[in-house]
Amino acid sequence: ACFRLLCSLLLPALFLSGILCICLVVLLWGVRLWIQRKKQLSSAGRDGKRPLLVAFFHPYCNAGGGGERVLWCAIRTLQRKYRNVTCVVYTGDRDATGEEIVEGAFRRFNIKLIHPVKFVFLEKRFLVEASLYPHFTLLGQSLGSVFLGWEALLKCVPDVYIDSMGYAFTIPLFKYLGGCRVGCYVHYPTISTDMLSVVRNQDTRFNNAAFITSSPLFSKFKLVYYYFFAFMYGLVGSCSDVVMVNSSWTLNHILSLWRAGACTSVVYPPCDVQAFLDIPLEVEKSTSEYSIVSVSQFRPEKDHPLQIRAFAKLLKERVGPQPSLKLILIGGCRNQQDEERVNNLKRLCEELGVSDDVVFRINIPFEELKRHLAEATIGLHTMWNEHFGIGVVECMAAGTVILAHNSGGPKLDIVVPHEGRVTGFLAEDEDSYAETMAYIFSLSPEKRLEIRENARRSVHRFSDQHFEDTFLLSVEPLFK
């Protein structure tokens, strides 16, 4: 009797589920045909020939960071290589005109485009703002990006779609409904195996609050949520025809999550090394003061407190008459939270008694940044698992002796031997940073110059030209 009852309930449910699945497939197929028809009607040019539309999904294209430098370099590269290509940028920067955005790219990055770019202005960018999702932020932003992607697709249907800002959940939308060839440039995986291990081990970090780490139940719930999200992220990412990543660290994570090794390659971001290579390199003049310079935005993951504590330890352990030292923290403040962070760092300096030896330089012009780097002996970087590290490359190009974190991009790609010679140093905690700084200062000026020269020679592989060559090689399958 129980079996009959189960069958009488189960069979109609299965039948209904089947009908709903068929209806959904038919609906999606209908939407795809409608979008394709829309594309054919709108894309013919004046002479009847239609250009190849290549669209970049970059909702914050006017932000002026490293990701935007990649975007404009990529567009300029395609314009140089392909004559029949029209580049489109999906952006939410509705407070600026297309001309102002292009002018801003030239002013910030010295990148001049060869042909005009078509901008598609999106109205629903607020859907990908982290502030909209105080809880389940990763999932909220990812679902929000699907709605934003749908708006983009309705406004312009391209032939080739490239997500250049890390919104992987838009990829299936453009591939299966838009009928586009799809690619992406991944600066940072939305979720990584490191994030999973932080929650699994109940480590307190800036993205894993103490109230979660102290509760086994909350930790288990968050771990299940992260595993579910990682599975979904792997699913949508594997839809890509071409995957470009910015470093070996990002490559390892994307390979383990997306399992798309055949179409994945490392394309180092274009760093403006030439501007720093102009700084003359010579043996330091005998000086009574040395400076250590840190260049990074005042964000929690950059770990400025580690820099200050290591510097205080270095000063405490020095013996005998020695040149005075200054730690110069250079960075951008984006909002009130960043300013509060700087005030907390200043309080830490007071507690450790190093306020007179630590200088804060906030939102300074490029020429002043160059001057500080030209005068510095050590370039300091402390972020754990930095995915690439443009600031590290810039310090090396400028001729400082770099001391970066022994993880991520600096460890795997940047601070590595060049032609068998030392290019810089790596450390992990307060003690090892203090010890390594003391060791660098103990070297002769001639030995330091040798390391600086090696570092400078090694950064040519992060130039604009190298980016253009590897980028074109990677995206070639999208244009066949």
Side-chain angles (χ1 to χ4, degrees):
C2 284
F3 178 71
R4 273 205 303 274
L5 178 66
L6 193 65
C7 285
S8 66
L9 291 172
L10 197 60
L11 288 172
L14 285 171
F15 179 73
L16 192 62
S17 300
I19 293 291
L20 286 172
C21 284
I22 291 166
C23 288
L24 185 64
V25 168
V26 170
L27 177 67
L28 291 174
W29 187 252
V31 169
R32 180 185 163 107
L33 289 176
W34 172 67
I35 288 173
Q36 294 305 302
R37 179 76 182 139
K38 188 179 157 94
K39 177 181 176 180
Q40 286 166 358
L41 290 171
S42 65
S43 57
R46 288 177 192 167
D47 57 357
K49 291 178 185 174
R50 52 181 301 275
L52 194 73
L53 280 184
V54 181
F56 290 83
F57 191 75
H58 209 105
Y60 297 86
C61 74
N62 205 28
E68 287 66 59
R69 190 164 213 285
V70 169
L71 170 71
W72 301 117
C73 268
I75 290 172
R76 184 180 63 184
T77 302
L78 290 180
Q79 288 181 343
R80 277 180 183 159
K81 169 79 175 175
Y82 298 102
R83 287 168 182 258
N84 67 327
V85 157
T86 296
C87 290
V88 177
V89 178
Y90 297 118
T91 178
D93 293 301
R94 293 188 298 144
D95 55 347
T97 64
E99 290 79 12
E100 285 168 346
I101 292 171
V102 170
E103 173 57 34
F106 177 63
R107 194 176 62 252
R108 290 186 193 111
F109 307 120
N110 197 28
I111 295 171
K112 196 160 183 66
L113 302 179
I114 299 156
H115 306 296
V117 170
K118 181 182 173 187
F119 288 92
V120 175
F121 291 93
L122 307 175
E123 292 169 26
K124 296 184 178 64
R125 189 176 73 177
F126 68 90
L127 291 173
V128 297
E129 297 277 356
S131 56
L132 194 63
Y133 313 99
H135 306 292
F136 301 101
T137 312
L138 294 179
L139 192 59
Q141 284 183 290
S142 298
L143 292 175
S145 73
V146 175
F147 288 101
L148 189 64
W150 177 245
E151 182 194 346
L153 186 58
L154 289 184
K155 287 185 172 177
C156 174
V157 187
D159 299 291
V160 174
Y161 170 79
I162 298 174
D163 162 42
S164 50
M165 219 183 152
Y167 294 105
F169 282 73
T170 62
I171 292 167
L173 191 70
F174 280 83
K175 182 167 186 171
Y176 298 115
L177 291 185
C180 312
R181 280 159 280 171
V182 296
C184 59
Y185 188 96
V186 185
H187 296 274
Y188 200 87
T190 306
I191 191 164
S192 67
T193 48
D194 290 325
M195 286 165 72
L196 292 170
S197 67
V198 163
V199 178
R200 197 187 304 114
N201 300 334
Q202 293 180 245
D203 292 342
T204 302
R205 287 187 183 268
F206 74 92
N207 58 356
N208 197 37
F211 80 90
I212 289 175
T213 59
S214 59
S215 164
L217 181 66
F218 280 149
S219 285
K220 289 214 167 36
F221 179 75
K222 186 170 183 178
L223 193 60
V224 169
Y225 160 56
Y226 267 18
Y227 271 115
F228 167 73
F229 185 82
F231 171 73
M232 294 300 294
Y233 183 59
L235 217 56
V236 296
S238 64
C239 298
S240 300
D241 299 313
V242 163
V243 181
M244 293 166 280
V245 298
N246 67 342
S247 70
S248 302
W249 182 84
T250 309
L251 175 73
N252 294 337
H253 288 284
I254 289 298
L255 288 179
S256 68
L257 290 163
W258 292 12
R259 305 188 187 285
C263 61
T264 305
S265 55
V266 176
V267 178
Y268 291 130
C271 304
D272 191 14
V273 294
Q274 198 51 54
F276 294 97
L277 292 173
D278 295 341
I279 297 170
L281 208 58
E282 51 198 30
V283 178
E284 305 147 29
K285 301 168 185 75
S286 55
T287 177
S288 58
E289 183 178 281
Y290 287 115
S291 66
I292 301 159
V293 170
S294 158
V295 184
S296 56
Q297 285 185 313
F298 289 101
R299 298 208 302 256
E301 65 271 24
K302 299 298 181 183
D303 206 353
H304 288 90
L306 173 56
Q307 299 180 3
I308 294 165
R309 286 196 301 271
F311 179 67
K313 192 175 180 66
L314 171 70
L315 292 183
K316 194 177 172 185
E317 291 178 355
R318 299 175 97 212
V319 288
Q322 296 204 38
S324 64
L325 298 180
K326 275 272 187 284
L327 173 62
I328 303 170
L329 302 178
I330 301 172
C333 267
R334 304 161 299 171
N335 49 39
Q336 199 177 336
Q337 284 175 310
D338 287 357
E339 285 166 21
E340 184 56 40
R341 214 165 276 125
V342 170
N343 291 332
N344 289 339
L345 292 172
K346 287 178 179 175
R347 279 194 286 274
L348 178 63
C349 291
E350 284 170 21
E351 285 167 28
L352 296 171
V354 294
S355 292
D356 295 340
D357 305 301
V358 180
V359 179
F360 289 84
R361 304 296 296 128
I362 296 157
N363 298 333
I364 61 172
F366 184 68
E367 286 308 312
E368 190 183 337
L369 167 68
K370 273 179 76 171
R371 182 170 58 76
H372 281 299
L373 285 172
E375 293 168 0
T377 302
I378 294 174
L380 195 59
H381 194 272
T382 47
M383 180 177 167
W384 170 74
N385 271 341
E386 170 75 88
H387 49 298
F388 179 70
I390 288 176
V392 176
V393 172
E394 289 174 346
C395 282
M396 291 166 75
T400 68
V401 179
I402 191 70
L403 173 55
H405 199 280
N406 189 26
S407 63
K411 177 186 181 179
L412 297 173
D413 294 306
I414 305 172
V415 191
V416 294
H418 178 67
E419 295 172 356
R421 293 175 181 159
V422 175
T423 57
F425 299 90
L426 299 165
E428 287 178 11
D429 52 25
E430 193 181 312
D431 291 343
S432 58
Y433 268 100
E435 283 166 22
T436 311
M437 283 190 280
Y439 172 71
I440 293 166
F441 285 121
S442 75
L443 297 171
S444 68
E446 291 76 22
K447 182 63 184 169
R448 280 199 292 268
L449 178 64
E450 192 184 308
I451 294 167
R452 292 158 65 208
E453 285 172 339
N454 295 341
R456 189 171 261 199
R457 277 194 292 270
S458 77
V459 298
H460 287 288
R461 64 214 155 98
F462 307 119
S463 65
D464 287 3
Q465 187 56 53
H466 191 268
F467 168 81
E468 289 184 13
D469 295 343
T470 52
F471 177 77
L472 284 175
L473 207 60
S474 298
V475 298
E476 205 176 337
L478 300 176
F479 293 90
K480 282 179 179 172

